[in-house]
Amino acid sequence: MKTEIFDIDGENIDYSLLEKAAEILKRGGLVVFPTETVYGLGAAAACSEAVKNIFKAKGRPSDNPLIVHISDFDMIKELISDEKTLENQDIKKLAQNFWPGPLTIIFRKNNSLCDEVTAGLDTVGIRMPENIVARELIRLTGKGVAAPSANTSGRPSPTEPRHVIEDMYGKVDAIICSGNCAVGVESTVLDMTCDPPVILRPGGVTRESIKELLGKDILMAGVIKNDEGQDFVPKAPGMKYRHYAPKGKVIVFSGEDEKIAEKINKYFSEALNEGKIPRIVASRQTARYYDEKYVTVFGDKECPETFAAGIFSALRECDRYNADIIFAEAVSQEGIGEAVMNRLLKAAGNNIIYV
Ligand code: TXA
Ligand code: MG
């Protein structure tokens, strides 16, 4: 398939290009577009053929539902089953405070959406992105745009134009390139069809900030126990897959900085001796403990948001070095760190060593 590349600057939008991209979506094509979290692989949410093509382009399992992106609050009415939900005070507060932005809210859906979008569930995830190119594209399309992250299924999500070119060139009608994604991890997926609300996937909006806004406890899927004390099956189908993974095996190390460094350097020498290509993913502060030729810095401890912005890019950089074993430092679980650790642990298949 021929893929058109549109370079669009968010601060000075070329509307002739953006109109072209919207036309492609309207006639059932696929367009990769930037958002503040990660790049999205978009199709008109009402068009079942187009949505099927998203699953093909990504190699995504068909039981994993897509998020529908809107540019205007009123667009929700066409997607959900009961407009009265929008009178709910908690939902109003969430939308007022976090939209546009990296929050996806789960609602009961109506029948306007094709079944492929929601993978047969009776709910739909909706989000209004902050990125102006994304919102203008959706506005010009005039309808909800279904979009997962624009990576090949299982690979780290794309946060830079070159990441989407690597994964999607030749598989989609167009790619809108518009710089690096500011947040760098995906949206927080919040289920508001239950009380108390449950975060199905931690992301760009922190659990603490939702808790503070709503003044109530917010549960985290995967740590919910049922009556017998067992974990619930994750409600976001996407969370059960190994994910975000570079080609090499990832091991995460958690503990005090010096102890981590000592342990990683031990594993690192062993890997070199075995003829492997190791890579170390470290913070700006701890990079000096390691052989600099082998270090990818993914963030700065003084500004935890930088770990979110840098995590996927760092994992992809390990692939460019053909690393077959990757030693990554854990970050603090506080705030945005909860989402960063979620992605790191998924990339590592939960392989973590406490030192
Ligand atoms: O930031 C983001 O959310 C990005 C950008 C492009 O907006 N999108 C994204 O989509 O990350 P995706 O498809 O890679 O991840 C969506 C997650 C999956 O874990 C999926 O299972 C869950 O949201 N999800 C979507 N709809 C759902 C629903 N109705 N019920 C439960 N989980 C849902
Ligand atoms: Mg994804």
Side-chain angles (χ1 to χ4, degrees), residues 48-113:
S48 107
E49 277 314 305
V51 172
K52 278 186 198 153
N53 287 334
I54 288 183
F55 285 86
K56 269 188 222 151
K58 277 184 67 89
R60 179 176 176 113
S62 59
D63 68 348
N64 193 3
L66 308 181
I67 293 168
V68 179
H69 297 69
I70 56 172
S71 55
D72 184 298
F73 191 73
D74 279 344
M75 286 171 97
I76 296 191
K77 293 179 185 159
E78 291 162 31
L79 305 168
I80 65 174
S81 67
D82 182 3
E83 274 190 33
K84 279 202 233 76
T85 319
L86 302 180
E87 300 300 313
N88 175 302
Q89 288 308 313
D90 286 349
I91 291 195
K92 277 190 178 167
K93 280 191 205 161
L94 289 166
Q96 269 163 14
N97 278 271
F98 297 122
W99 277 356
L103 177 70
T104 295
I105 303 177
I106 305 287
F107 293 90
R108 300 223 171 276
K109 71 158 195 174
N110 70 21
N111 294 328
S112 76
L113 286 163

Side-chain angles (χ1 to χ4, degrees), residues 33 35 37-41 58 60 64-67 69 102 104 106-107 117-118 121 123-125 127 147-151 157 185-189 200-201 235-239 243:
F33 62 95
T35 86
T37 57
V38 303
Y39 274 82
L41 167 53
K58 277 184 67 89
R60 179 176 176 113
N64 193 3
L66 308 181
I67 293 168
H69 297 69
T104 295
I106 305 287
F107 293 90
V117 171
T118 57
L121 298 177
T123 55
V124 57
R127 140 164 146 87
S149 48
N151 52 295
S157 296
V185 289
E186 298 88 338
S187 62
T188 302
V189 178
L200 303 181
R201 176 180 71 182
K235 258 177 97 180
M239 298 309 283
H243 234 133

Side-chain angles (χ1 to χ4, degrees), residues 1 6 43-44 58 77 88 92 108 127 184 186 189 196 212 218 242 257 265 269 272 279 288 292 319 329 337:
M1 184 190 284
F6 300 140
K58 277 184 67 89
K77 293 179 185 159
N88 175 302
K92 277 190 178 167
R108 300 223 171 276
R127 140 164 146 87
E186 298 88 338
V189 178
E212 195 182 325
I218 306 294
R242 177 158 189 246
D257 286 353
N265 277 323
S269 319
L272 274 186
R279 191 94 204 137
R288 64 193 164 89
E292 64 177 359
D319 282 349
E329 294 180 346

Side-chain angles (χ1 to χ4, degrees), residues 56-338:
K56 269 188 222 151
K58 277 184 67 89
R60 179 176 176 113
S62 59
D63 68 348
N64 193 3
L66 308 181
I67 293 168
V68 179
H69 297 69
I70 56 172
S71 55
D72 184 298
F73 191 73
D74 279 344
M75 286 171 97
I76 296 191
K77 293 179 185 159
E78 291 162 31
L79 305 168
I80 65 174
S81 67
D82 182 3
E83 274 190 33
K84 279 202 233 76
T85 319
L86 302 180
E87 300 300 313
N88 175 302
Q89 288 308 313
D90 286 349
I91 291 195
K92 277 190 178 167
K93 280 191 205 161
L94 289 166
Q96 269 163 14
N97 278 271
F98 297 122
W99 277 356
L103 177 70
T104 295
I105 303 177
I106 305 287
F107 293 90
R108 300 223 171 276
K109 71 158 195 174
N110 70 21
N111 294 328
S112 76
L113 286 163
C114 64
D115 277 348
E116 286 80 7
V117 171
T118 57
L121 298 177
D122 61 356
T123 55
V124 57
I126 300 178
R127 140 164 146 87
M128 189 194 297
E130 161 110 72
N131 182 291
I132 189 68
V133 176
R135 245 179 317 136
E136 285 293 86
L137 174 69
I138 301 161
R139 185 179 64 79
L140 294 173
T141 307
K143 284 205 152 62
V145 173
S149 48
N151 52 295
T152 302
S153 213
R155 299 262 301 131
S157 296
T159 52
E160 297 177 17
R162 62 176 166 169
H163 301 161
V164 271
I165 304 234
E166 269 166 23
D167 283 17
M168 289 299 148
Y169 193 80
K171 296 183 178 169
V172 297
D173 298 283
I175 296 176
I176 299 176
C177 294
S178 186
N180 297 354
C181 302
V183 176
V185 289
E186 298 88 338
S187 62
T188 302
V189 178
L190 180 65
D191 191 348
M192 291 300 292
T193 67
C194 47
D195 197 28
V198 181
I199 291 179
L200 303 181
R201 176 180 71 182
V205 170
T206 64
R207 176 180 6 188
E208 290 90 328
S209 61
I210 298 173
K211 189 172 167 184
E212 195 182 325
L213 177 72
L214 302 186
K216 56 166 85 165
D217 256 1
I218 306 294
L219 303 180
M220 180 68 67
V223 290
I224 316 169
K225 305 279 182 193
N226 66 14
D227 293 343
E228 285 89 50
Q230 296 155 330
D231 282 355
F232 274 139
V233 177
K235 258 177 97 180
M239 298 309 283
K240 68 177 186 252
Y241 299 106
R242 177 158 189 246
H243 234 133
Y244 314 116
K247 290 168 191 142
K249 175 180 168 181
V250 182
I251 307 176
V252 180
F253 293 78
S254 174
E256 282 169 30
D257 286 353
E258 276 94 12
K259 287 193 179 144
I260 291 180
E262 202 180 302
K263 197 78 161 182
I264 287 184
N265 277 323
K266 182 170 161 280
Y267 274 67
F268 173 82
S269 319
E270 284 168 12
L272 274 186
N273 287 339
E274 288 166 16
K276 290 189 180 142
I277 305 174
R279 191 94 204 137
I280 296 161
V281 175
S283 71
R284 193 179 67 80
Q285 285 76 9
T286 50
R288 64 193 164 89
Y289 293 130
Y290 310 105
D291 181 341
E292 64 177 359
K293 287 201 302 294
Y294 292 89
V295 178
T296 293
V297 171
F298 79 126
D300 186 324
K301 285 178 190 282
E302 279 171 17
C303 179
E305 285 73 23
T306 55
F307 290 112
I311 175 76
F312 289 131
S313 178
L315 293 174
R316 281 185 184 249
E317 181 168 296
C318 293
D319 282 349
R320 281 198 293 282
Y321 283 96
N322 288 317
D324 41 30
I325 179 102
I326 297 155
F327 307 117
E329 294 180 346
V331 301
S332 155
Q333 288 268 9
E334 243 171 79
I336 191 79
E338 190 162 31

